[in-house]
Amino acid sequence: MRGKPVDPERRLAAWRARLPYVDAEGDLERGEKLGARLVVPGDVEWPTQLDDLGYERPLGLWLHGSADLRFACLRSVAIVGSRAATPYGVHVAAELAAGLSEAGWTIVSGGAYGIDAAAHRGALAGVAETIAVLACGTDVAYPAGNHGLFEGMRARGLLVSECPPGVRPTRLRFLVRNRLIAALTRGTVVVEAALRSGALSTACHAVKLSRHVAAVPGPITSDNSVGCHRLIRRAEAVCVTTAREVIELMAAIGDDLSPEPRAPVLPRDRLDAESRSVLEAVPSRSGAGPATIAVAAGVDLMTTLSHLGALAAAGYVERTDNGWRLRRST
């Protein structure tokens, strides 16, 4: 269990001050009319990984959507970043989310403009669910420009909040909800983040919870990538560039390993070692006789003549008045 214990008397005093303004039955009734549901620790749909928050664990969560929160979060990744995202960041976030979704990974983010919205849209282009953890009630479309996106997420995902229906967002609620994004997922990917970005708050929570943290590098001239570069430089995050690399980091040990990038295979790579030796001994401009080529290739003359014939038939070399040379188009 993580988190620093809060003085019980202080907590009770805070709850007593708020109690006259709480209408629990009214909240439940409004939530039911809207199609939202309340889950608490011990419910079947409650994600037990939230227990890692210790004393910061939420008392309950409002859910609005078709997905099962606990099941959807078993293989989930948070993708977060700047609201004022660059075209580069929006493209990368959408590509990462779509690739992860196609591989069956749930995308969790905050429903904000910029990187969050791009991640949710990319996930909806795949096959898995996407979850938005909000700083307001699940019935409040904030930001208003994402109203259509939230409707799509209710149909194939979830809107999640600690706040009951009707509650408006505040700056503090945005910061507080970041711990939920980090705790619900196996790890957090920061796509773009300035030095004072809220995305770095989510990454900080992920580090405290011993979750994986990854960051996408950006142009060294972009202020929106300074936070990502600092995470990588301080070894607080792993540099990732593709969905496969994210999966390799987040998946169980030995599962879903990302293949190492390789150079493209050229036709000459398929030649046997002796043929390659002869081919490499053939000059590119002035021609050379078979004996000269044989010495350079380290094979006998008859073997050289045999390989030269095969290489000529395959279009690698050509015969000229001055001897053998590489074909111009090779």
Side-chain angles (χ1 to χ4, degrees), residues 53-78:
L53 289 168
Y55 293 94
E56 294 180 338
R57 185 186 72 177
L59 300 176
L61 291 174
W62 291 90
L63 313 179
H64 195 173
S66 59
D68 181 288
L69 180 62
R70 181 176 179 276
F71 181 77
C73 289
L74 291 177
R75 279 166 56 94
S76 61
V77 176

Side-chain angles (χ1 to χ4, degrees), residues 246-257:
V246 175
I247 293 172
E248 179 179 315
L249 177 65
M250 307 294 176
I253 295 176
D255 293 345
D256 300 308
L257 294 179

Side-chain angles (χ1 to χ4, degrees), residues 36-287:
R37 59 193 183 274
L38 178 68
V39 297
V40 297
D43 286 347
V44 174
E45 198 175 353
W46 183 262
T48 55
Q49 63 265 40
L50 290 178
D51 295 344
D52 292 345
L53 289 168
Y55 293 94
E56 294 180 338
R57 185 186 72 177
L59 300 176
L61 291 174
W62 291 90
L63 313 179
H64 195 173
S66 59
D68 181 288
L69 180 62
R70 181 176 179 276
F71 181 77
C73 289
L74 291 177
R75 279 166 56 94
S76 61
V77 176
I79 297 181
V80 296
S82 174
R83 286 176 173 81
T86 66
Y88 163 80
V90 169
H91 172 77
V92 170
E95 286 290 311
L96 286 177
L100 288 162
S101 181
E102 283 295 329
W105 286 75
T106 299
I107 302 303
V108 179
S109 196
Y113 286 138
I115 298 302
D116 289 12
H120 291 308
R121 291 192 175 97
L124 289 173
V127 298
E129 294 91 355
T130 183
I131 296 171
V133 182
L134 306 178
C136 53
T138 59
D139 61 324
V140 177
Y142 185 90
N146 283 347
H147 175 77
L149 175 62
F150 293 149
E151 286 299 310
M153 293 178 65
R154 289 188 182 100
R156 212 191 79 203
L158 276 176
L159 302 182
V160 177
S161 179
E162 289 182 89
C163 304
V167 171
R168 306 296 300 180
T170 64
R171 177 176 173 78
L172 179 60
R173 289 187 180 123
F174 280 112
L175 293 174
V176 169
R177 67 88 192 265
N178 288 341
R179 80 193 196 287
L180 299 180
I181 296 175
L184 283 170
T185 57
R186 291 197 186 180
T188 295
V189 180
V190 184
V191 175
E192 280 189 322
L195 284 179
R196 294 181 62 85
S197 171
L200 297 182
S201 165
T202 305
C204 182
H205 284 296
V207 170
K208 291 178 181 177
L209 292 166
S210 299
R211 303 290 200 268
H212 296 291
V213 179
V216 175
I220 61 173
T221 54
S222 173
D223 289 340
N224 268 17
S225 290
V226 172
C228 295
H229 296 158
R230 188 174 70 172
L231 286 172
I232 295 170
R233 189 174 67 251
R234 292 182 175 180
E236 294 171 341
V238 175
C239 176
V240 294
T241 59
T242 66
R244 292 301 306 170
E245 290 175 355
V246 175
I247 293 172
E248 179 179 315
L249 177 65
M250 307 294 176
I253 295 176
D255 293 345
D256 300 308
L257 294 179
S258 176
E260 288 292 328
R262 295 180 178 179
V265 178
L266 300 176
R268 66 171 59 197
D269 294 333
R270 298 188 177 94
L271 297 173
D272 61 71
E274 220 170 47
S275 294
R276 284 200 302 272
S277 295
V278 173
L279 180 60
E280 289 169 4
V282 177
S284 59
R285 294 183 180 179
S286 59

